[in-house]
């Protein structure tokens, strides 16, 4: 898929990966962008900036855990920009400093991770796929995480829901791939965003590879979309880690436990 001339929706677009995607898509000639975020003020500011620079952009405050909000995003995009060619379901949620994230985490934490990291992708598919199927073409980019293929030590709720996000993306690819629908799952490791700013989180992530910038992630996304790859891996070593995990799960778990023991927080 080429971005030039496309209508694109990006959720979680007020900062981090979402904002970097929006800027890169605008620079690459998108015909229109619908940017959404829980922080409506920030996302509207970004939309106005990109609109002034020449890319027709609309910013909307939206809660992707509400199916009605996600449906409204698609309706707004179609009204102001045209049929959606690419829906980037990018909003995500991990643990926050001071919040328990293991099995003992509050039910509200688990439910929140489920709603943001999984159900938001489900709502996006429900909202945008019928129109794409009628047209016989369309693309879904679901931001997951390397944790969806491997692990995020210390954050069981994040890991479990990101695994579910990858599985859901695979299901979409299998079910609709012969009907003109393309699907990619974005699975980066450490990215320098507000979500990873806590020293304990950065320490865990740094065990497994370099921390990348959101702009580097956006570069990988554009390359992956052009090649229509299901897995977009900005950290290429993730493929090797996943192969090792599949080849000898016990050895992989032993190695991961050893790495976690050496973490200095």
């Amino acid at each position: 898929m080429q971005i030039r001339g496309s209508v694109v929706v990006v959720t979680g677009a007020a900062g981090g990966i979402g904002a970097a995607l929006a800027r890169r898509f605008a620079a690459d000639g998108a015909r229109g962008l619908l940017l959404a975020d829980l922080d409506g003020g920030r996302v509207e500011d970004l939309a106005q900036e990109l609109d002034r620079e020449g890319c027709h952009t609309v910013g909307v405050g939206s809660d992707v855990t509400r199916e009605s909000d996600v449906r409204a995003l698609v309706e707004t995009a179609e009204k102001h920009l045209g049929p959606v060619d690419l829906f980037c379901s990018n909003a995500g949620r991990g643990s926050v400093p001071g919040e328990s994230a293991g099995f003992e985490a509050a039910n509200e934490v688990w439910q929140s991770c489920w709603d943001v990291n999984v159900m938001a992708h489900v709502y996006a598919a429900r909202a945008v796929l019928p129109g794409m199927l009628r047209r016989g073409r369309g693309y879904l980019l679901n931001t997951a995480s390397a944790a969806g293929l491997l692990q995020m030590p210390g954050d069981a709720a994040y890991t479990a829901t990101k695994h579910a996000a990858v599985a859901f993306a695979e299901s979409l690819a299998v079910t609709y791939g012969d009907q003109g629908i393309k699907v990619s799952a974005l699975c980066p490791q450490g990215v320098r965003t507000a979500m990873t700013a806590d020293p304990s989180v950065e320490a865990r992530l740094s065990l497994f590879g370099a921390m990348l910038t959101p702009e580097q992630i956006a570069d990988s996304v554009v390359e992956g979309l052009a090649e229509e790859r299901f897995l977009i891996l900005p950290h290429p070593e993730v493929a090797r880690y996943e192969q090792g995990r599949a080849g000898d799960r016990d050895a992989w778990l032993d190695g991961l436990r050893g790495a976690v023991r050496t973490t200095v927080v």
Side-chain angles (χ1 to χ4, degrees), residues 38-170:
L38 197 59
D39 189 335
R42 285 180 64 202
V43 83
E44 288 169 16
D45 288 345
L46 176 58
Q48 291 172 14
E49 174 191 330
L50 297 180
D51 199 69
R52 288 193 300 269
E53 293 174 357
C55 180
H56 190 186
T57 308
V58 178
V60 179
S62 180
D63 183 350
V64 295
T65 68
R66 297 176 181 170
E67 186 168 9
S68 59
D69 280 23
V70 180
R71 285 199 305 268
L73 293 181
V74 174
E75 292 167 0
T76 301
E78 291 175 342
K79 177 180 178 181
H80 294 284
L81 305 171
V84 176
D85 298 298
L86 169 64
F87 194 113
C88 300
S89 184
N90 173 72
R93 188 227 197 268
S95 62
V96 299
E99 178 181 76
S100 178
F103 73 90
E104 75 285 355
N107 289 348
E108 292 78 11
V109 172
W110 280 90
Q111 189 63 54
S112 178
C113 286
W114 180 258
D115 290 341
V116 178
N117 295 343
V118 182
M119 293 309 299
H121 298 319
V122 177
Y123 298 153
R126 288 177 180 170
V128 79
L129 268 178
M132 289 180 171
L133 289 168
R134 285 194 298 271
R135 296 188 296 275
R137 60 183 178 82
Y139 213 121
L140 298 173
L141 171 71
N142 290 356
T143 298
S145 167
L149 302 170
L150 304 167
Q151 277 283 322
M152 174 57 170
D155 200 334
Y158 183 80
T159 298
T161 53
K162 289 300 187 178
H163 271 264
V166 173
F168 179 65
E170 289 177 337

Side-chain angles (χ1 to χ4, degrees), residues 177-212:
D178 288 340
Q179 299 178 59
I181 306 302
K182 305 295 184 181
V183 181
S184 290
L186 172 59
C187 296
Q189 285 193 129
V191 186
R192 296 193 181 281
T193 68
M195 188 182 294
T196 62
D198 180 75
S200 65
V201 175
E202 184 169 352
R204 290 198 303 270
L205 290 171
S206 297
L207 286 171
F208 308 108
M211 298 283 286
L212 300 182

